[in-house]
Amino acid sequence: MNAPGAPGLRGATPRARRGLDDAYIRLDRVYKMYSVSTTGVAALGGVTLDIPEASFTALVGPSGAGKSSILNLIGGVETPTAGTVWVDGRDLQLLDDSERSAFRRERIGFLWQGAAKNLVPYLSVAQNVELPLILSGAGAADSRLRSSELLDLLGLTARARFLPGVLSGGEQQRVALAVALANRPAVVLADEPTAEIDSAGAETVVRLLREACESTGATVVMATHDLVAAASADVTYRLIDGRLRAPASTTWVDAAGRLTLPGQAAELGLTDGDVEVEVEVDELRIRRPEGLGSAAGTAVMARDVSPRPTAPPCVGTGAEMASGSAAPSDGDTVLLSATDLGRTYGDGEAVKVTALAGVSLTLSPGELVVLMGPSGSGKSTLLGLLAGLDQPETGQVLWEGRLLADIEETDLARTRATRFGVIFQGFGLFPSLSALENVVLPLLIAGRDPSEATDIAGAWLDRFGLGGRLDHRVNELSTGQQQRVAVARGIANGQTVVLADEPTAELDERSGTTVLEALHDVALRGGGVIVATHDPWVLQRADRVIVMRDGRIEAEGSPSQVAGYLTTD
C-alpha cells in the first residue's frame, strides 16, 4: 500500500505511462450471458477493445447497452461467458477465488452505480473512506490523514462525522468517490459517477478521475450517459445492444450546440458548406449531394450524440388504458400544499444538519413543478415530507385539503396506491419479482383485477422500451432499466399527484425524454407532478421551477424567471 501523499491526489509517483497502442486492459471477443428463467440474455456480444495504461476511457450508450457488464468483468466481479479479459497481462479467468479477491482489494477502485452501494450505512463518512486503507494494512494515523485530504478536496469536511443516510444522493456519491480513490488503485472503475449530482459536483468528480489518471497513473474506465463527462476522456467507446459500434473520440456536437464533421467525412472531401446531414436512430449520415463537381457520397457513423426524439404517442394512464377515458380534472383545487416545513437530522450541535427551514409550496392541477438546487439543498428531504414518508419537525402538509399528519397509516398507504404516486431515487423495487410483477403489485393493492393490472403494467413497460424485459428480475436489469420500471410503477395506476426524485438520473437522453413526457401527461390530464432533478433539460416541460439552497427556497417562478439562480457554485 502506498503511503498517503500531499493533499488531494498529488504526491504519489505516477506509474510510467504507456503509449496509446499498448493495452493495459484488453477484452478479446467477450460475450456475457445472463440466465433469465429458462433462456439466456446476451449482455455483451463479442466485444473487443484495448485500454492503455494511465488513460481515461469512457463507455457511452443507452441503458442496457452492456456498459456495467464491462466494468464488472474488468474488476473481476464477473467472468465472461466466452472470450478473455486481461488486466496488466493477467488473464482474470485463471485467478482462483482468493487471488481474485486480492486483485479487487489491491488493484481496483470501484465507484458503483447508486451511491448507497459504495457505503457502509452504520459507519461515518470519514470511517467509510478510512475502511479500504485499514483493510490494506495502513496505520490509523495515515488512514485518517488520507480520508481528511480527500473529504476536503470533495467539499465534505463538514460531513465527516455524519452517517451516509443523512447526506443527499449527490453528497453520498462524492463520498463514494473518496472511498474508490482512497487506496490509490491501479484501476478505477466508475459506473455513472455523475448521475444524481449537480453540475458543480459532476465537474469535481470528473476532474478527480482525470487527476487520478494523470498524477497517480491510474487507468480510469467510466461508464456514463453524460456526454459532457465523456468529453474529458482520452478515448470514448459507444455500445449499443451489447456490441461495440465504434470508438467515438470525436464529438459531433460542441458545447455551443454546433455540429462538427467527424473524421470519416474527410474521406469524401466534405466540408461544412456542402453537406446534407441525416440523423437516424443509430446513425449519423453525412452526404455530399450530386452537382458539387465530384461524385456524390455518404459517410455513415455510429451515433455519438442524438437529438431528443419526438415523444411517442401517449398510451394513457392506468385508468385510460382500462376504460378509454381520461381521468377527470379536479378543477382549481389545490392538490397538495406545505406550510413552513422544517426538518433537521443528527444529535448534538456538532453533527446536526438543517435539511429544511421554513419551506412552503403548493401544487395545483395541471402543473409540473421542478425542484432544482445543488446536492444537499433539501430536495429529497422535501419530497419525503410531502409523500408522508417522514414527519416535519415544524409546519404541515395537506393532501387535497386533508392534514397529512391526521391520516391513518392504512389510509395513507391506500391513497399512495391510488392517488399519490412516489418515484424513489433508490427505485425501491422488489428484487424477487420480475419487472412486470413490480408494476402489477401496487395495481393489485389498489384493487385492480389481475388481468387488467397485467395489461396496464405491460403497456407502460412497453412504452418505456421494456416490452422485451417483462419477465426479467431486478438483478437481470441494468440500472437505467430498473429506473424505468420504478417510474412505470409510480404512475401506472393513474395517480393524480406524482412525486419523483431524480427520475431521469440513470437514463440516456432518449429514455429520459420518454419518462419526462409520461410525467408531463399526468399534468396534462389534470394531475400534478413535482420532480426533483439535476437534469437541466427537464426544464423544457416545467410550468414552475423552485430553486433550493441550504434547505430554503431561494427562488421560484418560470424557467426564464429563475434562470439566474440555476447555478451550483
Side-chain angles (χ1 to χ4, degrees):
M1 144 103 205
N2 296 326
L9 299 176
R10 305 294 177 184
T13 303
R15 288 179 286 276
R17 181 171 183 139
R18 299 180 180 179
L20 289 178
D21 293 330
D22 192 358
Y24 182 72
I25 298 171
R26 172 165 292 169
L27 276 68
D28 183 23
R29 293 166 290 180
V30 169
Y31 290 79
K32 181 61 181 177
M33 303 288 292
Y34 294 99
S35 177
V36 179
S37 299
T38 58
T39 62
V41 175
L44 296 174
V47 170
T48 295
L49 61 82
D50 290 344
I51 297 174
E53 185 177 18
S55 66
F56 187 178
T57 297
L59 306 174
V60 300
S63 302
K67 305 185 298 296
S68 298
S69 293
I70 288 179
L71 295 188
N72 288 336
L73 291 171
I74 293 172
V77 177
E78 297 179 351
T79 57
T81 306
T84 310
V85 179
W86 284 279
V87 176
D88 195 17
R90 304 172 74 184
D91 182 347
L92 298 189
Q93 282 188 278
L94 300 181
L95 303 181
D96 60 28
D97 289 344
S98 62
E99 291 171 330
R100 188 180 298 276
S101 178
F103 167 77
R104 290 194 297 265
R105 183 176 63 251
E106 297 168 4
R107 307 298 302 278
I108 305 295
F110 284 105
L111 181 55
W112 301 102
Q113 189 172 10
K117 297 177 183 177
N118 300 272
L119 306 175
V120 180
Y122 52 82
L123 296 182
S124 71
V125 164
Q127 290 169 334
N128 266 282
V129 182
E130 294 166 16
L131 183 61
L133 294 159
I134 292 171
L135 292 176
S136 295
D142 285 344
S143 298
R144 285 194 297 270
L145 176 61
R146 176 64 172 165
S147 172
S148 176
E149 292 168 349
L150 285 169
L151 293 177
D152 181 61
L153 196 65
L154 288 162
L156 292 166
T157 300
R159 300 288 194 261
R161 296 176 60 186
F162 296 173
L163 294 177
V166 177
L167 306 183
S168 71
E171 288 170 331
Q172 290 182 31
Q173 186 77 320
R174 281 183 280 158
V175 177
L177 175 63
V179 173
L181 297 177
N183 212 20
R184 294 185 177 86
V187 178
V188 178
L189 304 174
D191 200 353
E192 297 291 354
T194 62
E196 305 175 9
I197 304 181
D198 58 84
S199 59
E203 289 173 6
T204 299
V205 166
V206 174
R207 174 173 56 82
L208 287 175
L209 289 172
R210 164 56 69 186
E211 190 174 327
C213 173
E214 294 180 348
S215 67
T216 72
T219 303
V220 178
V221 187
M222 174 179 67
T224 184
H225 294 123
D226 186 345
L227 295 174
V228 175
S232 299
D234 299 316
V235 179
T236 300
Y237 289 99
R238 181 168 180 81
L239 287 156
I240 297 177
D241 295 331
R243 296 181 181 276
L244 192 67
R245 290 301 177 98
S249 55
T250 301
T251 303
W252 296 2
V253 179
D254 65 17
R258 297 167 298 197
L259 179 69
T260 59
L261 294 181
Q264 294 96 320
E267 300 171 6
L268 301 172
L270 302 179
T271 67
D272 58 1
D274 60 12
V275 300
E276 296 176 354
V277 177
E278 177 184 344
V279 180
E280 297 186 354
V281 174
D282 292 324
E283 294 178 342
L284 174 70
R285 295 178 180 270
I286 295 181
R287 182 184 301 105
R288 179 179 58 218
E290 296 183 11
L292 292 176
S294 57
T298 301
V300 180
M301 285 131 283
R303 206 169 54 139
D304 189 10
V305 179
S306 61
R308 296 188 187 97
T310 302
C314 176
V315 297
T317 66
E320 291 165 5
M321 285 185 276
S323 65
S325 59
S329 169
D330 287 324
D332 295 328
T333 354
V334 173
L335 298 172
L336 179 151
S337 66
T339 305
D340 198 29
L341 295 183
R343 186 70 169 92
T344 60
Y345 295 100
D347 296 322
E349 292 302 318
V351 294
K352 184 172 285 187
V353 178
T354 299
L356 288 180
V359 172
S360 300
L361 60 81
T362 60
L363 178 67
S364 299
E367 279 195 307
L368 192 153
V369 176
V370 171
L371 302 178
M372 297 198 80
S375 300
S377 60
K379 301 186 300 296
S380 295
T381 298
L382 177 56
L383 286 188
L385 296 180
L386 296 177
L389 302 173
D390 191 11
Q391 296 298 319
E393 293 169 333
T394 62
Q396 62 183 21
V397 177
L398 280 78
W399 285 4
E400 297 176 321
R402 302 173 65 192
L403 189 61
L404 184 58
D406 292 342
I407 302 176
E408 294 184 0
E409 190 60 39
T410 53
D411 191 10
L412 198 63
R414 183 167 55 252
T415 304
R416 285 198 201 100
T418 56
R419 294 189 62 77
F420 280 68
V422 181
I423 299 169
F424 299 96
Q425 187 173 7
F427 310 156
L429 301 175
F430 290 96
S432 60
L433 301 182
S434 68
L436 182 65
E437 289 166 342
N438 265 283
V439 182
V440 165
L441 182 59
L443 295 169
L444 297 177
I445 292 172
R448 295 274 187 174
D449 174 79
S451 177
E452 176 192 33
T454 300
D455 290 343
I456 292 171
W460 275 108
L461 292 172
D462 187 60
R463 178 178 181 177
F464 289 158
L466 297 171
R469 299 286 191 269
L470 301 182
D471 295 329
H472 288 44
R473 287 188 166 42
V474 171
N475 68 333
E476 296 162 345
L477 301 173
S478 71
T479 305
Q481 290 167 339
Q482 291 178 35
Q483 184 161 47
R484 281 177 275 166
V485 174
V487 173
R489 182 188 57 186
I491 62 180
N493 203 35
Q495 280 85 346
T496 303
V497 172
V498 175
L499 306 174
D501 198 356
E502 297 286 358
T504 63
E506 308 290 353
L507 302 180
D508 58 275
E509 199 160 352
R510 176 176 288 108
S511 297
T513 299
T514 302
V515 164
L516 180 58
E517 292 297 335
L519 292 172
H520 187 237
D521 289 344
V522 175
L524 288 178
R525 61 179 169 81
V529 180
I530 300 179
V531 178
T533 184
H534 288 118
D535 286 341
W537 57 270
V538 174
L539 295 174
Q540 64 183 297
R541 289 297 188 185
D543 298 296
R544 185 157 45 100
V545 182
I546 296 175
V547 182
M548 299 189 67
R549 189 178 298 274
D550 298 327
R552 299 179 183 273
I553 293 179
E554 185 176 54
E556 183 173 355
S558 68
S560 60
Q561 288 172 328
V562 303
Y565 294 89
L566 295 176
T567 59
T568 53
D569 54 357

